[in-house]
Amino acid sequence: MSDTRRRVKVYTLNEERQWDDRGTGHVSSTYVDRLKGISLLVRAEADGSLLLESKINPNTAYQKQQDTLIVWSEGENYDLALSFQEKAGCDEIWEKICQVQGKDPSVEVTQDPIDESEEERFEEMPDSSNLIDLPTCELGKLEEIADLVTSVLSSPIRREKLALALENEGYIKKLLQLFQTCENLDNAEGLHHLYEIIRGILFLNKATLFEVMFSDECIMDVVGCLEYDPALAQPKRHREFLTKTAKFKEVIPITDSELRQKIHQTYRVQYIQDVILPTPSVFEDNFLSTLTSFIFFNKVEIVSMLQEDEKFLSEVFAQLTDEATDDDKRRELVNFFKEFCAFSQTLQPQNRDAFFKTLANLGILPALEIVMGMDDLQVRAAATDIFSYLVEFSPSMVREFVMQEAQQSDDDILLINVVIEQMICDTDPELGGAVQLMGLLRTLIDPENMLATANKTEKSEFLNFFYNHCMQVLTAPLLANTSEDKPDKDSSIEPSTGSTICPDNYQTAQLLALILELLTFCVEHHTYHIKNYIMNKDLLRRVLILMNSKHTFLALCALRFLRRIIGLKDEFYNRYIIKGNLFEPVINALLDNGTRYNLLNSAIIELFEFIRVEDIKSLTAHIVDNFYKALESIEYVQTFKGLKTKYEQEKDRQSQKLNSVPSILRSNRFRRDARALEEDEELWFNEDEEEEGEAVVPPIEKSKAEEDFPDSYEKFMETKKAKESEDKENLPKRTSVGGFKFTFSHSASSANGANGANSKSVAAQTPPAGSNGSSSKNTTLSATVASAKQGSLIGLVDYPDDEEEEEEEDSSPRKRPRLGS
């Protein structure tokens, strides 16, 4: 029995004047040597750790509230409270505190809180120790009473004395009887005085007075007094609203009379604080702190009482999920849960944990799945709010549910897919609900809040689930709105060509912007999952079609997606961009934007500036080789000239490295470097061929030579490897120079022919292929390379054995994709 009697919650008041729960434990009062005095100790019931150790100071003012609360301050800004489960336990500890301070346990406050300036004045006034003498409670004295109440508010000691006098004499009930008399007599002056008196008593900030004022018999008269503000020409009708307009809805009848009374009281006191009382000024901010605490503890009590009544909650859930329940009833049930969850926000983490676990055990998530798919907008909105409370509290709990659900259900009825569909189908022109749902999805797929345990990794399990079951639902609108024939590679992208569908509908554009925001988040946080998805669906090409949208914000979203990908500096992505010629829509957008100095212009230039500053060599070479002629006229920034400079410096550096090698070793040395370069390329092409018979990136259009390419390429590589293995025996041991990526990838066919001579010299010094019949195979490759270079695929690398064939190609310069001006 002693256990529950001494069971308490420890609260501290934070900077926002809200009570924070520090934990639940058992309180005792014992002598602590270190503190040299009797102290209050609270040990956590979970692990026995010390939650509170506080010496009972003889001068500290302890306050007893609502029979089960003891509140006090330690230091200037550190308020503490003990909330007892039982009144008997509170009385025991209160007696102990009073014993240490030499006070009678019948008092509600053990000390008068006196600051130093007050104390000095107090000592100068010998008669001030007496209680304040209240005027007789009669109509003629109302003005005098009002003056007295308003005059004490600036003095903490006088506030305390007035509160004690009001409490001792049962004065508030007498005042409320006078209010009824004044109202019957239409005594406007008396009613205005009573407004000032009751408002002043509320600002005394005393819980013991609140207990009287907010009791069932008094609260409506208190509200009545507060209707007669002298500043208003006509009194407000707050009582009429509370009794007639505001209806107490019981979705399931509440049989506990104490709980009903507590709910009524909390609603009315909250109404007084939020509606009736004026917003307190900076100087009055602390006047109503006890009123805030009163409401807070009431809400905690309501949630606790409802949570403990499992029969009540089970009945609510049963009706919520019952198909026979009519729409109006279901709407009320969902609104009840929404308010219930809102109240739970007053609970601290430990209690919220228990609260949401109770809801989870009762089946809140399957119930939400049903109601979120309903046609009623109000029900869906309330269900979304409840879902947001659950995700905010424990994303792991929601993830665990949906992964278990995936084993038993079809993809289209999975909770996350229901959420995505609600986001896509939001009818609000401003997509308010979709924005909220997108934020919840982002929380659910954020690896930062995923747990890793010894047995399993939530991140890998959930992301595998998400990309297998949900990603196609999320990207469906994006793919549908960019689904027509891919843009002609030799023409500028214009909506009038009919080559693409660009969403002109503002609402659709907003939705696609939201989806792109989520996909951009995935690129930043999901590494290989999103990489595989982008490659398999050729997603970046589809996204960049939106660069053509008339809605600039959508074009910027598409650009931001590309910028995040390039920002990763991942060569895998870079090769994908080069191979698909995916800079073309971006450069078309820059040229179409003309001389306008706007956000689109700045964002595109920043993208290229990033490539220049970070010296991303493969992209630099691709941009200069393919687009420099179109960009060289842009001189208001030095970005593109800088890219050309970087490109030429790299070519010179590679030429110097090559020339510094003795001619007798040059071919072997060059072979060695090329092999280091080829490893990544082999992986890239091998992956292409192994993707279950599907190309990772669908080509824009295939020439005959390109269709034959994999076969001839494989034969070529086999021959090449055989020849290199023979050479390896005679190869001197040297460290690899590395990186001839740019000089030799495009030198033979560079548009300006700048490096043609250099290429020839290398080709001349390269020994011919062995007599194993590779020369005819190389001829096939050379045709393939030439064909590929004339198309828009740039993903091929020229290998050193091709140099002889490249010589022959010099006469036919590469065709640059024509860019729209």
Side-chain angles (χ1 to χ4, degrees):
M1 184 66 188
S2 62
D3 265 0
T4 55
R5 203 167 66 238
R6 291 291 184 91
R7 190 166 183 264
V8 294
K9 285 185 184 299
V10 181
Y11 291 94
T12 56
L13 197 64
N14 63 26
E15 291 175 356
E16 284 78 39
R17 308 298 296 170
Q18 298 292 323
W19 287 101
D20 290 339
D21 187 344
R22 295 298 179 194
T24 304
H26 294 90
V27 65
S28 61
S29 55
T30 51
Y31 184 84
V32 177
D33 289 334
R34 187 171 58 81
L35 299 175
K36 296 184 172 55
I38 302 288
S39 303
L40 296 176
L41 301 178
V42 180
R43 293 200 174 276
E45 66 178 357
D47 56 9
S49 59
L50 199 62
L51 295 177
L52 175 70
E53 185 180 62
S54 171
K55 182 183 175 184
I56 301 174
N57 194 310
N59 300 318
T60 299
Y62 290 85
Q63 195 174 9
K64 187 179 173 190
Q65 300 178 6
Q66 301 181 34
D67 291 334
T68 56
L69 275 174
I70 296 176
V71 183
W72 73 99
S73 296
E74 288 189 1
E76 195 171 325
N77 293 311
Y78 191 58
D79 289 7
L80 287 157
L82 291 180
S83 175
F84 289 78
Q85 184 170 331
E86 294 186 14
K87 180 179 182 298
C90 183
D91 291 342
E92 281 180 22
I93 295 299
W94 183 250
E95 283 175 21
K96 195 68 180 178
I97 293 169
C98 292
Q99 183 184 334
V100 172
Q101 294 197 340
K103 301 289 181 182
D104 183 346
S106 62
V107 299
E108 298 287 340
V109 183
T110 61
Q111 302 285 333
D112 291 330
I114 305 173
D115 60 28
E116 290 177 13
S117 57
E118 282 287 340
E119 198 166 8
E120 287 166 12
R121 283 188 295 176
F122 184 45
E123 285 168 358
E124 291 167 11
M125 297 159 38
D127 61 336
S128 66
S129 61
N130 300 325
L131 286 180
I132 290 177
D133 288 328
L134 292 167
T136 318
C137 195
E138 53 189 49
L139 284 176
K141 301 279 189 180
L142 283 176
E143 186 175 0
E144 189 182 336
I145 299 167
D147 290 343
L148 173 64
V149 171
T150 50
S151 69
V152 303
L153 293 179
S154 58
S155 162
I157 181 64
R158 298 192 68 206
R159 283 214 307 268
E160 291 290 340
K161 291 184 177 300
L162 177 60
L164 211 55
L166 288 169
E167 191 184 341
N168 289 348
E169 297 181 25
Y171 206 78
I172 291 172
K173 289 186 179 178
K174 295 176 187 174
L175 285 169
L176 295 176
Q177 286 170 357
L178 277 183
F179 163 73
Q180 291 172 358
T181 307
C182 286
E183 204 166 35
N184 290 335
L185 296 172
D186 287 334
N187 182 342
E189 188 182 353
L191 290 168
H192 288 161
H193 289 318
L194 279 163
Y195 169 86
E196 298 289 353
I197 292 166
I198 295 298
R199 181 174 174 274
I201 292 173
L202 285 171
F203 281 149
L204 291 177
N205 207 22
K206 291 296 159 200
T208 47
L209 299 180
F210 290 162
E211 292 287 351
V212 176
M213 297 171 82
F214 300 149
S215 63
D216 279 356
E217 60 176 311
C218 297
I219 190 164
M220 294 312 287
D221 285 336
V222 168
V223 171
C225 291
L226 294 171
E227 290 178 354
Y228 292 94
D229 183 348
L232 300 174
Q234 290 294 322
K236 293 281 186 182
R237 297 185 173 181
H238 296 303
R239 283 172 294 176
E240 186 178 319
F241 175 83
L242 287 172
T243 54
K244 294 179 182 175
T245 310
K247 299 292 183 189
F248 177 56
K249 291 182 179 176
E250 293 179 89
V251 287
I252 305 289
I254 296 173
T255 52
D256 187 335
S257 58
E258 185 186 350
L259 176 59
R260 286 171 65 91
Q261 187 271 332
K262 193 67 79 176
I263 291 170
H264 285 306
Q265 185 188 57
T266 306
Y267 176 79
R268 289 163 182 168
V269 175
Q270 187 92 57
Y271 182 86
I272 290 171
Q273 185 186 43
D274 293 346
V275 179
I276 301 179
L277 291 177
T279 306
S281 69
V282 176
F283 305 105
E284 298 173 327
D285 204 22
N286 291 333
F287 281 7
L288 293 173
S289 60
T290 307
L291 185 62
T292 304
S293 299
F294 184 93
I295 294 167
F296 170 85
F297 287 116
N298 265 17
K299 286 182 176 179
V300 170
E301 214 169 321
I302 290 167
V303 172
S304 300
M305 290 166 83
L306 282 172
Q307 192 179 331
E308 287 162 13
D309 190 347
E310 287 194 11
K311 185 181 173 186
F312 174 81
L313 286 180
S314 300
E315 180 62 26
V316 174
F317 271 107
Q319 291 204 22
L320 186 62
T321 53
D322 186 354
E323 291 181 7
T325 306
D326 65 68
D327 290 348
D328 289 341
K329 181 73 169 175
R330 186 173 275 111
R331 191 180 304 122
E332 287 180 8
L333 288 161
V334 174
N335 284 330
F336 163 78
F337 267 118
K338 177 185 168 183
E339 198 157 343
F340 194 26
C341 289
F343 266 40
S344 77
Q345 299 307 292
T346 60
L347 300 173
Q348 293 305 307
Q350 306 93 309
N351 308 73
R352 267 215 304 274
D353 194 15
F355 170 78
F356 283 115
K357 276 181 181 166
T358 302
L359 291 188
N361 292 337
L362 289 165
I364 184 75
L365 286 165
L368 278 180
E369 198 167 43
I370 294 168
V371 294
M372 284 184 88
M374 294 177 67
D375 296 331
D376 191 311
L377 280 176
Q378 279 187 308
V379 168
R380 286 213 309 261
T384 301
D385 288 338
I386 297 167
F387 186 63
S388 71
Y389 285 125
L390 292 167
V391 171
E392 187 183 327
F393 169 70
S394 175
S396 288
M397 180 178 79
V398 179
R399 284 193 284 261
E400 188 178 352
F401 168 77
V402 294
M403 283 193 288
Q404 287 173 355
E405 182 190 33
Q407 297 164 9
Q408 301 147 12
S409 309
D410 296 332
D411 282 4
D412 57 345
I413 56 167
L414 293 177
L415 177 59
I416 290 197
N417 286 346
V418 171
V419 170
I420 293 171
E421 281 157 17
Q422 290 305 315
M423 178 177 124
I424 292 168
C425 302
D426 188 4
T427 53
D428 177 8
E430 296 299 321
L431 295 187
V435 171
Q436 183 185 10
L437 289 167
M438 193 273 287
L440 298 176
L441 279 173
R442 185 200 291 240
T443 304
L444 286 173
I445 62 174
D446 186 355
E448 296 295 318
N449 60 42
M450 293 185 189
L451 307 172
T453 61
N455 301 328
K456 61 172 185 174
T457 306
E458 185 184 18
K459 177 180 174 180
S460 62
E461 286 187 8
F462 182 75
L463 290 182
N464 283 336
F465 157 80
F466 183 77
Y467 280 86
N468 286 332
H469 297 276
C470 310
M471 194 53 139
Q472 72 273 16
V473 183
L474 178 65
T475 54
L478 178 63
L479 297 174
N481 280 283
T482 55
S483 64
E484 289 296 295
D485 295 333
K486 295 179 182 63
D488 180 350
K489 64 179 183 300
D490 286 330
S491 66
S492 62
I493 304 174
E494 293 180 10
S496 59
T497 64
S499 61
T500 61
I501 292 179
C502 257
D504 288 336
N505 178 301
Y506 177 71
Q507 194 168 347
T508 306
Q510 271 196 312
L511 175 64
L512 294 184
L514 281 180
I515 293 169
L516 278 174
E517 192 177 329
L518 210 53
L519 291 173
T520 305
F521 177 83
C522 293
V523 166
E524 287 183 278
H525 294 88
H526 290 175
T527 58
Y528 68 89
H529 286 93
I530 186 69
K531 188 189 293 184
N532 289 342
Y533 193 82
I534 289 172
M535 300 296 174
N536 287 326
K537 297 289 184 186
D538 198 10
L539 190 64
L540 181 55
R541 179 187 306 283
R542 305 291 280 272
V543 167
L544 289 175
I545 287 173
L546 300 175
M547 289 295 297
N548 188 46
S549 172
K550 73 174 186 180
H551 301 286
T552 308
F553 71 86
L554 184 56
L556 286 166
C557 284
L559 184 64
R560 193 179 307 123
F561 183 66
L562 174 65
R563 174 67 177 79
R564 286 291 182 278
I565 288 174
I566 290 174
L568 297 173
K569 297 192 280 189
D570 182 333
E571 275 304 308
F572 199 81
Y573 275 130
N574 293 347
R575 284 195 295 269
Y576 164 62
I577 291 167
I578 292 167
K579 188 172 181 181
N581 198 26
L582 298 181
F583 277 119
E584 187 174 330
V586 178
I587 288 168
N588 279 335
L590 177 64
L591 298 175
D592 290 345
N593 192 55
T595 56
R596 280 171 291 182
Y597 178 52
N598 54 18
L599 188 55
L600 184 65
N601 173 278
S602 299
I604 293 174
I605 287 172
E606 189 278 334
L607 172 73
F608 291 109
E609 182 66 13
F610 175 81
I611 294 169
R612 185 190 71 78
V613 170
E614 295 296 326
D615 198 13
I616 303 175
K617 294 181 172 58
S618 55
L619 296 181
T620 302
H622 173 64
I623 293 162
V624 174
D625 274 345
N626 292 275
F627 304 109
Y628 187 69
K629 276 196 172 176
L631 298 171
E632 64 183 341
S633 61
I634 296 176
E635 294 183 342
Y636 52 88
V637 288
Q638 297 304 305
T639 299
F640 301 107
K641 283 187 167 49
L643 283 169
K644 181 76 182 295
T645 305
K646 290 256 184 192
Y647 173 62
E648 288 172 347
Q649 285 171 351
E650 182 64 23
K651 285 172 72 174
D652 291 345
R653 194 156 45 242
Q654 300 301 341
S655 298
Q656 286 167 16
K657 282 182 182 179
L658 190 62
N659 291 333
S660 67
V661 178
S663 59
I664 197 164
L665 299 175
R666 192 169 299 163
S667 60
N668 288 344
R669 177 67 175 263
F670 186 71
R671 255 182 240 289
R672 183 182 176 91
D673 288 336
R675 277 201 299 280
L677 171 67
E678 287 159 13
E679 287 176 16
D680 278 350
E681 300 298 332
E682 282 189 68
L683 283 171
W684 166 250
F685 285 114
N686 290 344
E687 276 191 30
D688 279 3
E689 292 160 12
E690 286 164 19
E691 279 292 330
E692 299 175 357
E694 222 176 87
V696 174
V697 183
I700 294 171
E701 58 178 64
K702 281 197 174 185
S703 65
K704 179 77 177 74
E706 283 174 334
E707 287 170 9
D708 298 333
F709 177 71
D711 291 338
S712 58
Y713 181 76
E714 276 181 27
K715 291 171 189 171
F716 166 73
M717 286 307 293
E718 283 168 19
T719 311
K720 182 170 173 56
K721 283 176 185 170
K723 182 162 60 69
E724 284 178 357
S725 63
E726 292 171 14
D727 293 340
K728 204 174 280 186
E729 296 170 15
N730 303 317
L731 191 66
K733 290 189 177 180
R734 293 177 182 273
T735 55
S736 172
V737 175
F740 288 90
K741 189 174 287 186
F742 315 108
T743 312
F744 301 102
S745 341
H746 307 292
S747 59
S749 59
S750 61
N752 56 14
N755 206 33
N758 192 31
S759 301
K760 288 173 189 176
S761 67
V762 175
Q765 293 170 28
T766 303
S771 59
N772 52 8
S774 66
S775 59
S776 63
K777 289 170 187 172
N778 286 357
T779 306
T780 310
L781 175 68
S782 109
T784 307
V785 173
S787 172
K789 288 188 172 193
Q790 286 170 2
S792 63
L793 291 178
I794 314 296
L796 309 182
V797 172
D798 300 342
Y799 294 91
D801 291 315
D802 295 315
E803 298 295 57
E804 291 176 41
E805 284 77 10
E806 286 184 2
E807 218 173 338
E808 296 163 18
E809 292 168 22
D810 278 350
S811 59
S812 76
R814 174 205 316 261
K815 264 181 149 183
R816 182 186 312 286
R818 257 187 303 127
L819 300 171
S821 55

